[in-house]
Amino acid sequence: MNGSDEIISLKGIGEKTAKLFQKLGIETVSDLLNHFPRDYESFDKPVKVIEARVGEIVTLELTILGNFKWKKIRQLTIGTGMASDNTGKVSITYFNMPYLKNVIRSGNTYLMRGKLKQERGVLCMEQPKLYTYEEYAKKQGTLQPCYGLTAGLTNNAVTKAVKQAMAALTEEEYLPDELLSQYCLVSGKKAYEGIHFPQNYEEMMSARRRLVFDEFFLFLIALRKLKEKNEESISDYPMIETAEVVRFMEQLPYKLTNAQMRVFGEIKADLLSGRCMNRLIQGDVGSGKTILAFLALLMTVSNGYQGALMAPTEILATQHYEQMTEMVKKYHLPFKPVLLTGSISAAGKRNIYEEIESGVVNVVIGTHALIQEKVHYRNLALVITDEQHRFGVKQRETLSEKGGHAHVLVMSATPIPRTLAIILYGDLHISAVDELPANRLPVKNCVVGTSYRKKAYEFIETEVKKGRQVYVICPMVEESENTDNVENVTDYTEKLKAVFPETIRICALHGKMRPADKNRIMTAFANRDIDVLVSTTVIEVGINVPNATVMMVENAERFGLAQLHQLRGRIGRGKEQSYCIFVSGTDNDKSMERLKILNCSNDGFYIAQEDLKLRGPGDLFGIRQSGDMVFQIADIYQDSDLLRDISISVDAILREDCELISTKYSGIREYLEQNAVNFVDFRSI
Ligand code: ADP
Ligand code: MG
């Protein structure tokens, strides 16, 4: 078996199952191996009822009391009864597991595993799994993988498939021994085995360390190569200052902040310098980066060139396009923009390609469709990427190549300290928009438990009646296995429709919808045709609807704080007071305490740092600052020390052998060549 084989070649995977895997972005055996567990279930020693904690998954050794009753209600077979050990009693319920009728007998003792709940003072377990002593002994102490799933695909099915895929792993090693021992790394094969099926915690951690190493190492080598290429190249598109830019700045409804002025000064100096600009604008959510992009584009088009603005989602691209179109009307700007996204028809695209090539349009706004090969520009002088952290190095590179020697400007809201930014954006100069517009009212926050929902709904209703709009965020799209007590957009939308009067217009939005539908819904929300938008984190990036003043985040404990901060950045954008309600799905003290950090600061960088301090190493998998950068397993905050060390090693290696041709390093070069697509593109967007 080969990593590049399609997963349909695995035993037990037919067309139908392959389609489900495809939904998760898994097409090949190698994709499957890189579908790392989201979490692990650890099979600890069975505990006594009296020691067991409500709300946790536990294994109890229970004897069935009296007679266990089975009854049939319509299609449903329900079994109920009490069970106990010598310290306490638990009520047990099974739904639709009729075969257990012949298994469960009064007086017998079983190992029962499930989530312990308490209802009206009675301890209970629903659908506990049954184990014999032998079965349990085999699992005890191990970590069982929990994978990201989709409806119809069980954790068991993914586990089985991954087990088979392991056969594609070889002992081949691309790293020299020297690096392996310097960083105490296990082999690549061991890393995959250890991340999917660790025998214990230590094994999982060393597997993770190796995979993190690979991600950072390959990323940084690619980045250094890019930097070499870009360094100090002469621009084919020299510019001069134009009156349009000055006029536009004077007409704006607000004064630019000092930080915006300073950063625009830096951009202007680059564009006038005769050399290629390679600049990163770093600025917290809401610091006003979009207007800087528009100013740079205005300078470009008024010099007679084309510019491109790339966003990671269609929703955001569409919004930028609409904002620009509006500005053209209002301020008579010389922009002739076009929107280019994946959901435009083939004929429509051909038309747009022609307009781009002939120069009829001078600004192209879109998603990564912008960098597809068919697009030829007439004179592309400036390429801007918004929310840079969502793009891979390969995409950065392709885009700047499109324009020959185009100027490159990237914008990011990821709060990272300067020392890390220099490493991760080693190919770029960095500008910071480190000041928020003065007219902002800080968002009012609260962290609450699920019992607060009723009050929250009442509050939302009053705000909607005042004409405001609301975001409700859920972690999942739909119900699936492994997601007990996790809210999903589909069901939650229905629930809210039942709670609120019909006059309140509620709509769902998530990443699995067709792009055209997403755009339609987002546009309706922006036009105030929707009052409450129930959404996954697809709205996290960039969206600007200043009339939305309330955000309620369900299962807030499942998100990284930096990500919650980004989400919260969607409100507090207008002059009205905004409110953010973080609902924790657990009343675990630690997770409440973590969320409360969001209460006391609005500084993304501070929040990320504090989050890091509070999260022990055991949290590594449960909560990642997902969405940050393009790394799949590495976490730039958590693994920052390793990142710094690897950066030094990469410099040393390239100094010693910049083409990677020596025997020692040629393995790295070959690996890069073979996996070019995988390692630089990662699995972003
Ligand atoms: P981000 O940096 O998160 O991309 P945006 O560019 O979307 O932020 O700006 C957020 C909001 O702030 C927008 O509604 C924008 O019009 C407004 N804005 C930008 N600059 C200023 C300013 N100097 N004064 C007041 N409002 C501003
Ligand atoms: Mg933005």
Side-chain angles (χ1 to χ4, degrees):
M1 195 192 303
N2 233 313
S4 55
D5 289 352
E6 290 192 21
I7 54 162
I8 207 149
S9 64
L10 297 174
K11 244 194 323 199
I13 296 187
E15 294 277 340
K16 218 174 117 202
T17 318
K19 280 242 160 64
L20 293 174
F21 274 105
Q22 229 172 46
K23 272 195 180 174
L24 298 171
I26 300 169
E27 311 242 349
T28 64
V29 169
S30 145
D31 292 341
L32 182 61
L33 287 170
N34 284 297
H35 185 57
F36 301 133
R38 267 226 301 250
D39 204 349
Y40 297 90
E41 198 182 344
S42 63
F43 281 69
D44 296 329
K45 236 176 79 189
V47 292
K48 293 283 178 202
V49 173
I50 200 165
E51 306 160 341
R53 293 195 28 194
V54 173
E56 290 190 356
I57 292 177
V58 292
T59 309
L60 302 171
E61 189 181 357
L62 297 175
T63 307
I64 306 290
L65 301 174
N67 59 337
F68 204 85
K69 285 200 197 83
W70 293 91
K71 58 185 171 195
K72 211 163 162 160
I73 301 175
R74 288 193 212 113
Q75 298 302 320
L76 207 60
T77 313
I78 301 179
T80 47
M82 295 301 289
S84 76
D85 62 13
N86 52 12
T87 67
K89 280 189 200 170
V90 181
S91 154
I92 304 290
T93 313
Y94 284 105
F95 304 102
N96 267 356
M97 302 186 103
Y99 62 91
L100 283 180
K101 261 190 201 175
N102 304 320
V103 179
I104 292 192
R105 289 190 199 288
S106 306
N108 279 9
T109 304
Y110 307 92
L111 289 171
M112 297 186 147
R113 181 176 173 79
K115 190 174 214 168
L116 189 67
K117 296 188 190 168
Q118 191 160 28
E119 274 166 22
R120 287 185 222 100
V122 180
L123 291 176
C124 51
M125 246 190 204
E126 278 172 16
Q127 310 281 74
K129 290 203 174 109
L130 291 185
Y131 293 93
T132 63
Y133 290 95
E134 294 80 56
E135 277 169 348
Y136 201 83
K138 258 195 225 149
K139 292 206 168 187
Q140 193 169 321
T142 65
L143 297 171
Q144 299 292 319
C146 304
Y147 293 101
L149 302 171
T150 185
L153 196 62
T154 64
N155 198 52
N156 214 352
V158 180
T159 308
K160 272 194 183 145
V162 174
K163 277 202 173 125
Q164 282 190 64
M166 289 284 170
L169 293 173
T170 62
E171 295 287 354
E172 233 174 290
E173 183 54 71
Y174 78 94
L175 287 174
D177 292 341
E178 202 179 285
L179 273 181
L180 290 176
S181 60
Q182 184 192 340
Y183 284 89
C184 301
L185 299 175
V186 300
S187 73
K189 183 168 189 246
K190 257 201 144 142
Y192 278 99
E193 286 165 355
I195 204 76
H196 287 288
F197 306 112
Q199 285 303 312
N200 51 47
Y201 183 74
E202 287 70 36
E203 202 174 295
M204 184 272 281
M205 288 303 278
S206 19
R208 182 183 181 279
R209 187 177 158 83
R210 167 66 204 254
L211 295 167
V212 170
F213 180 94
D214 282 9
E215 266 193 314
F216 280 156
F217 184 74
L218 298 171
F219 177 85
L220 289 179
I221 290 201
L223 200 64
R224 295 295 194 277
K225 292 269 153 205
L226 186 61
K227 181 177 176 172
E228 248 168 57
K229 232 159 105 187
N230 287 346
E231 208 127 80
E232 299 293 300
S233 48
I234 300 297
S235 166
D236 294 341
Y237 307 100
M239 297 193 197
I240 52 165
E241 284 202 67
T242 64
E244 274 93 345
V245 174
V246 181
R247 186 172 58 89
F248 181 43
M249 276 161 83
E250 280 166 4
Q251 286 175 328
L252 279 176
Y254 48 76
K255 223 175 124 276
L256 292 183
T257 62
N258 289 332
Q260 284 171 317
M261 292 292 283
R262 187 185 66 240
V263 172
F264 185 61
E266 289 164 353
I267 295 170
K268 213 162 61 177
D270 284 349
L271 295 177
L272 299 176
S273 73
R275 286 183 305 278
C276 282
M277 169 164 72
N278 281 295
R279 186 166 292 279
L280 164 73
I281 304 181
Q282 238 195 329
D284 213 342
V285 277
S287 58
K289 296 183 291 294
T290 317
I291 189 65
L292 296 174
F294 284 11
L295 284 167
L297 285 167
L298 183 56
M299 182 143 165
T300 304
V301 303
S302 56
N303 270 279
Y305 304 129
Q306 290 175 313
L309 174 57
M310 183 159 92
T313 62
E314 286 208 10
I315 296 179
L316 185 55
T318 309
Q319 197 173 46
H320 284 330
Y321 172 75
E322 281 167 0
Q323 210 176 332
M324 183 175 276
T325 316
E326 219 168 89
M327 283 186 177
V328 168
K329 269 195 228 136
K330 205 158 149 196
Y331 304 112
H332 307 287
L333 301 173
F335 288 128
K336 281 170 278 174
V338 70
L339 180 67
L340 180 58
T341 60
S343 60
I344 291 171
S345 71
K349 271 189 200 149
R350 266 197 305 279
N351 201 6
I352 293 174
Y353 294 155
E354 266 175 43
E355 288 181 335
I356 296 173
E357 194 158 2
S358 67
V360 174
V361 301
N362 58 15
V363 177
V364 187
I365 300 180
T367 51
H368 58 301
L370 278 187
I371 55 171
Q372 260 155 20
E373 275 163 33
K374 287 186 204 110
V375 190
H376 296 286
Y377 292 84
R378 182 155 172 268
N379 55 4
L380 180 64
L382 171 66
V383 173
I384 304 179
T385 57
D386 193 8
E387 303 296 343
Q388 168 63 33
H389 54 286
R390 294 297 180 98
F391 293 105
V393 181
K394 183 77 187 162
Q395 290 158 331
R396 277 192 220 173
E397 185 177 359
T398 322
L399 201 59
S400 70
E401 279 173 353
K402 278 275 155 192
H405 288 284
H407 299 285
V408 173
L409 183 64
V410 301
M411 310 198 290
S412 171
T414 306
I416 41 176
R418 204 175 161 79
T419 51
L420 284 190
I422 289 170
I423 295 174
L424 291 166
Y425 298 103
D427 54 329
L428 304 169
H429 299 278
I430 301 173
S431 295
V433 193
D434 45 12
E435 181 186 351
L436 293 179
N439 63 349
R440 298 282 162 76
L441 284 172
V443 174
K444 288 193 175 155
N445 307 285
C446 64
V447 178
V448 297
T450 49
S451 59
Y452 186 82
R453 276 195 195 124
K454 195 165 163 281
K455 259 194 166 153
Y457 296 155
E458 282 164 19
F459 179 71
I460 287 174
E461 201 173 326
T462 3
E463 284 294 298
V464 170
K465 285 192 176 138
K466 282 194 221 158
R468 305 285 119 72
Q469 289 164 284
V470 180
Y471 296 105
V472 177
I473 310 296
C474 299
M476 309 292 293
V477 173
E478 56 192 1
E479 185 160 16
S480 79
E481 209 194 30
N482 281 356
T483 56
D484 271 7
N485 299 336
V486 182
E487 299 299 333
N488 70 78
V489 167
T490 317
D491 295 334
Y492 207 93
T493 307
E494 291 314 306
K495 185 169 126 185
L496 285 189
K497 282 182 179 166
V499 169
F500 289 128
E502 263 172 39
T503 49
I504 296 188
R505 297 155 302 175
I506 303 166
C507 196
L509 178 73
H510 58 73
K512 287 189 185 167
M513 289 175 159
R514 288 209 323 254
D517 291 335
K518 280 191 272 189
N519 288 336
R520 186 176 43 75
I521 292 167
M522 210 47 233
T523 309
F525 189 67
N527 293 338
R528 299 196 185 186
D529 294 331
I530 293 169
D531 302 305
V532 179
L533 190 65
V534 185
S535 169
T536 53
T537 54
V538 287
I539 62 115
E540 163 193 351
V541 274
I543 302 300
N544 187 34
V545 181
N547 188 51
T549 57
V550 183
M551 176 175 282
M552 176 170 176
V553 185
E554 285 285 354
N555 294 110
E557 78 283 0
R558 293 178 64 96
F559 298 98
L561 294 190
Q563 193 181 11
L564 289 173
H565 176 66
Q566 291 276 328
L567 275 169
R568 173 170 68 181
R570 299 306 116 222
I571 56 172
R573 297 187 150 241
K575 47 187 187 316
E576 307 297 340
Q577 176 64 53
S578 287
Y579 305 89
C580 197
I581 307 165
F582 298 106
V583 184
S584 173
T586 90
D587 26 10
N588 181 321
D589 291 345
K590 222 173 122 198
S591 80
M592 287 296 237
E593 192 188 333
R594 212 182 119 249
L595 289 171
K596 283 190 177 141
I597 295 174
L598 291 163
N599 270 345
C600 47
S601 175
N602 242 327
D603 171 351
F605 175 49
Y606 169 84
I607 289 169
Q609 288 293 303
E610 289 301 301
D611 195 10
L612 191 59
K613 276 191 219 153
L614 263 188
R615 282 150 57 193
D619 282 338
L620 274 189
F621 271 83
I623 303 151
R624 290 189 57 225
Q625 300 292 357
S626 59
D628 284 327
M629 305 297 296
V630 284
F631 303 113
Q632 209 197 329
I633 192 163
D635 181 317
I636 54 168
Y637 302 105
Q638 195 93 44
D639 304 311
S640 57
D641 289 343
L642 191 56
L643 177 62
R644 286 195 183 92
D645 292 347
I646 295 172
S647 171
I648 294 168
S649 295
V650 165
D651 281 341
I653 290 170
L654 292 177
R655 227 179 295 125
E656 190 183 322
D657 175 11
C658 71
E659 298 298 327
L660 301 173
I661 42 176
S662 62
T663 342
K664 196 158 84 180
Y665 297 133
S666 58
I668 300 174
R669 197 195 63 241
E670 282 155 24
Y671 188 86
L672 287 173
E673 282 162 6
Q674 279 161 20
N675 297 284
V677 178
N678 285 346
F679 90 87
V680 275
D681 264 346
F682 294 106
R683 42 186 60 226
S684 51
I685 4 190

